[in-house]
Amino acid sequence: MSKIERIIKKFSTWIARPVSEGDDNIDSKPQDKFESLSCVLEFIQNALDAIAEKFNNVVIKIYGTSVSAEDFKVNFLKDNFEEYLKHSQRSAIQQIPETGQDIRCLIMEDYNTTGLRGNPNIYKSKLPDGSENFIHQFIHEIGGRRKGMNANLGGSEGEGKQTYCLSSDISTFFFFTVRDDGSEYFMGISYFGIFEFGNTEYKPFMHYGNMTESKDHSNSFWALPIHDENKIKELKKMFGVKRNKEPGVSIVIPFINTDVTLDKIREVVCKSYRIPILREKLKVQIGGGDEINEETIYEIYKKHYC
């Protein structure tokens, strides 16, 4: 389950999938349903759905970091990414600014959760034993009825991941997951809407990972998450991710929208998740501030919002 079992055609690359003749050509247009701060609500709800059986609460850590423009360029501004970005219909920035300044990122991490369970090698919603393939659903599927069907299996799928793209001015996010078996994965996802480049029409989502060829269709490629421990360690250090080996999910949003601030996140958490916090199901630490928990939420709320 934890190993990449397919032949890798190219490592650490962007994979944009062309719309083939006969394919459905659908754009879910999440911007019609979500706003920038929806990313916080989606992340916390997904974490509550994925609580591990041995814990009775979820711990969320949200903080800002920065990555050097040069590191970002070397690792991610390659394989036609900038050309795809330029032709995107949904990105606030269609050209990476040449400022040389560090790139602001938002990181959201959940703890006491299972991480994204399943097998990314199997391009199906369910595994052969009938269990949900949550990591595949998160990476490759939009919508569906599975979320909440069996929360203790971990992870979720659907429209939630689109909110992370909407919070990024380049409509891109990265995720790290550590599962309870110790395996780790890393991947990037961009939402550009249906776009055209080089006389080819492309599907709305693009992935940063390892390229593998479809077993059903020759010369058709899709993305597997990166599994190499040394590469993941390097990328975690580059982004300033604090998670070590604790199971869970870390979301990294580069070029974070200016509407998404730690102060606004604290307000959203206090107003939208006060009930699970007071029921001792949720604890949230934002930046270097006090943890929002059942004992502190009243004073934090009174200080800032009354």
Side-chain angles (χ1 to χ4, degrees), residues 37-221:
L37 282 164
S38 298
C39 65
V40 179
L41 302 177
E42 290 293 336
F43 184 78
I44 293 176
Q45 189 58 55
N46 288 347
L48 288 169
D49 289 344
I51 187 168
E53 295 175 4
K54 61 183 177 182
F55 296 104
N56 58 15
N57 63 26
V58 169
V59 177
I60 302 288
K61 296 182 181 180
I62 302 175
Y63 53 95
T65 67
S66 61
V67 59
S68 81
E70 184 60 29
D71 284 345
F72 195 85
K73 178 179 180 180
V74 168
N75 283 278
F76 305 117
L77 302 188
K78 59 181 185 177
D79 303 319
N80 282 331
F81 178 85
E82 291 181 280
E83 289 297 326
Y84 296 142
L85 180 66
K86 190 184 301 182
H87 290 80
S88 73
Q89 303 297 311
R90 306 301 178 196
S91 179
I93 296 175
Q94 291 183 290
Q95 187 169 356
I96 303 293
E98 299 261 352
T99 62
Q101 296 180 349
D102 288 352
I103 296 165
R104 292 175 56 245
C105 302
L106 181 75
I107 297 181
M108 299 184 289
E109 299 186 296
D110 61 37
Y111 294 85
N112 297 353
T113 59
T114 62
L116 290 168
R117 286 177 171 173
N119 189 341
N121 298 283
I122 298 176
Y123 200 89
K124 291 182 178 180
S125 299
K126 289 183 178 289
L127 298 171
D129 64 2
S131 61
E132 301 289 349
N133 194 1
F134 286 108
I135 191 166
H136 165 83
Q137 293 168 12
F138 182 82
I139 294 170
H140 296 292
E141 295 188 0
I142 296 294
R145 61 178 179 80
R146 297 174 192 83
K147 183 176 179 181
M149 292 289 285
N150 195 349
N152 64 4
L153 291 177
S156 68
E157 53 79 34
E159 297 191 334
K161 63 174 174 286
Q162 299 172 102
T163 67
Y164 309 141
C165 294
L166 294 179
S167 301
S168 163
D169 282 345
I170 62 167
S171 201
T172 296
F173 77 96
F174 301 92
F175 76 82
F176 298 92
T177 185
V178 180
R179 288 107 69 81
D180 38 19
D181 65 358
S183 58
E184 299 181 68
Y185 292 103
F186 168 87
M187 177 168 267
I189 300 177
S190 297
Y191 165 68
F192 289 162
I194 296 167
F195 68 96
E196 192 169 321
F197 169 63
N199 294 321
T200 299
E201 196 169 57
Y202 288 92
K203 296 184 177 183
F205 286 91
M206 186 168 69
H207 298 84
Y208 177 84
N210 295 332
M211 179 187 288
T212 188
E213 188 169 14
S214 170
K215 292 179 178 179
D216 297 328
H217 306 285
S218 61
N219 206 34
S220 176
F221 304 95

Side-chain angles (χ1 to χ4, degrees), residues 235-255:
L235 292 168
K236 285 169 67 175
K237 182 178 180 181
M238 184 187 79
F239 280 120
V241 171
K242 297 177 181 178
R243 180 187 303 280
N244 291 312
K245 292 291 186 179
E246 307 93 340
V249 176
S250 299
I251 298 291
V252 180
I253 304 175
F255 290 90

